[in-house]
Amino acid sequence: MGIIIASTPFKEAITLAPIIAAFMHDFFSSIWISLFMIIKGEFINVLKVFPTKSGAILALGALSGGPLAMSFYFLGIQNAGVTYAASIASIFPGIGAVLAYFFLKEKMNKKTWSGVVLSIIGVIVLAYVPTRFDAESNFFIGILFSLGAAIFWGLEGVIGAWGMRGKEVIPLYAINIRQITSALSYGIILVPLLHGYPLVFEAATSSVVWVIVIAGLLGTANYSLYYSAIDKIGAARGQSLNNTYVFWAIATEIVFIGTPVNLQFIVGAIIVILGSILVSGSVKR
């Protein structure tokens, strides 16, 4: 996604680029997962789940984790800067853990809470990049937007776990519903509201579209594993482990792009790994 946003035509549209890239990612992801379910002969089952209570719950989770969270996140970046927005948004596993404790009755102990907190601290250490504070920016409004993104992402995991409790739902059905709902809500509401379709069509006719197609395939694999994890080990543990993507993104840059290893990465990685070990070994459903 970083490569996509830095490519033409996205790099010429700084404000719109992240939202349009997110829409196109979810659009192609919805196509990939739908094709997969058609080949498996189970797409009809996905359509049958849509009008059920479980389908409505999963669609609500898609709206929360897709357009709502992403919009709040990028509004946070615009007003408070990427460092503060990314750091605050990364606390979503803690919010999800609290919500899962109260609403899904997932059992939490001291090790679990310690692991969640350590994972969040580690991700903040990894993501932190010093930026110059702009006194004219709407800093506190940006902080509130970033917190809103964290809440919506935390809600998505909990709502997803709730929706998958229906006997007729398996994680792949949930992902299919999630990506279709997210893509439609972007395409019908958010993109027209932002007058973003000219950029969509420009990107769709450029060479970068193939990178977006590949990103959509990776996103399908990502969400399929994420929702499967939530279904098997609970929202609190699934979200905390999912949040370690920041570590894997930087590790990937180090291996494939040659980004130098620094002390910040080493410290952050150790904290993330310790937090993940605590979370992985302590949550009981």
Side-chain angles (χ1 to χ4, degrees):
M1 292 299 289
I3 292 170
I4 291 166
I5 292 173
S7 302
T8 303
F10 289 106
K11 65 181 180 182
E12 283 86 20
I14 298 173
T15 303
L16 271 180
I19 295 291
I20 302 304
F23 160 59
M24 296 185 73
H25 170 277
D26 282 8
F27 173 76
F28 284 113
S29 178
S30 69
I31 292 176
W32 280 115
I33 187 63
S34 296
L35 286 174
F36 181 68
M37 298 308 287
I38 289 169
I39 292 169
K40 283 172 63 74
E42 296 186 39
F43 188 67
I44 187 66
N45 295 330
V46 176
L47 296 179
K48 288 179 180 178
V49 172
F50 251 114
T52 66
K53 177 183 176 182
S54 295
I57 292 169
L58 291 167
L60 182 63
L63 292 173
S64 178
L68 285 172
M70 289 295 288
S71 297
F72 272 68
Y73 182 52
F74 289 118
L75 285 169
I77 289 175
Q78 283 183 350
N79 288 280
V82 67
T83 297
Y84 294 102
S87 298
I88 291 172
S90 69
I91 70 171
F92 77 86
I95 293 171
V98 172
L99 294 173
Y101 176 77
F102 285 105
F103 294 105
L104 301 178
K105 307 303 179 185
E106 290 185 8
K107 295 179 180 179
M108 304 283 286
N109 56 35
K110 290 181 180 179
K111 284 186 178 180
T112 305
W113 287 114
S114 298
V116 170
V117 171
L118 273 179
S119 294
I120 292 170
I121 292 172
V123 167
I124 291 173
V125 170
L126 286 169
Y128 180 77
V129 178
T131 54
R132 187 175 180 179
F133 177 72
D134 183 0
E136 297 181 358
S137 67
N138 297 314
F139 179 75
F140 293 106
I141 294 175
I143 294 298
L144 291 175
F145 278 129
S146 304
L147 183 59
I151 291 170
F152 282 123
W153 272 320
L155 275 171
E156 180 190 9
V158 174
I159 294 171
W162 179 25
M164 286 187 286
R165 287 185 171 182
K167 293 182 180 179
E168 72 275 22
V169 183
I170 63 172
L172 283 177
Y173 296 178
I175 287 305
N176 209 161
I177 291 170
R178 194 265 182 216
Q179 297 302 72
I180 289 175
T181 303
S182 181
L184 286 175
S185 56
Y186 273 118
I188 295 173
I189 302 171
L190 201 54
V191 176
L193 186 66
L194 297 173
H195 307 289
Y197 270 111
L199 180 58
V200 171
F201 294 133
E202 190 176 353
T205 55
S206 70
S207 59
V208 77
V209 71
W210 298 110
V211 185
I212 303 173
V213 170
I214 294 169
L217 177 60
L218 293 172
T220 300
N222 165 47
Y223 268 102
S224 297
L225 293 169
Y226 178 38
Y227 270 54
S228 294
I230 289 174
D231 184 53
K232 293 181 182 298
I233 63 176
R237 185 158 46 171
Q239 287 190 317
S240 292
L241 294 174
N242 175 67
N243 201 32
T244 64
Y245 77 87
V246 175
F247 162 73
W248 295 107
I250 296 173
T252 302
E253 284 187 331
I254 290 170
V255 173
F256 293 103
I257 302 178
T259 303
V261 179
N262 56 31
L263 182 61
Q264 179 180 351
F265 173 77
I266 294 171
V267 172
I270 291 171
I271 296 172
V272 165
I273 291 168
L274 287 175
S276 299
I277 291 171
L278 286 173
V279 170
S280 299
S282 57
V283 175
K284 296 179 181 179
R285 298 187 68 185

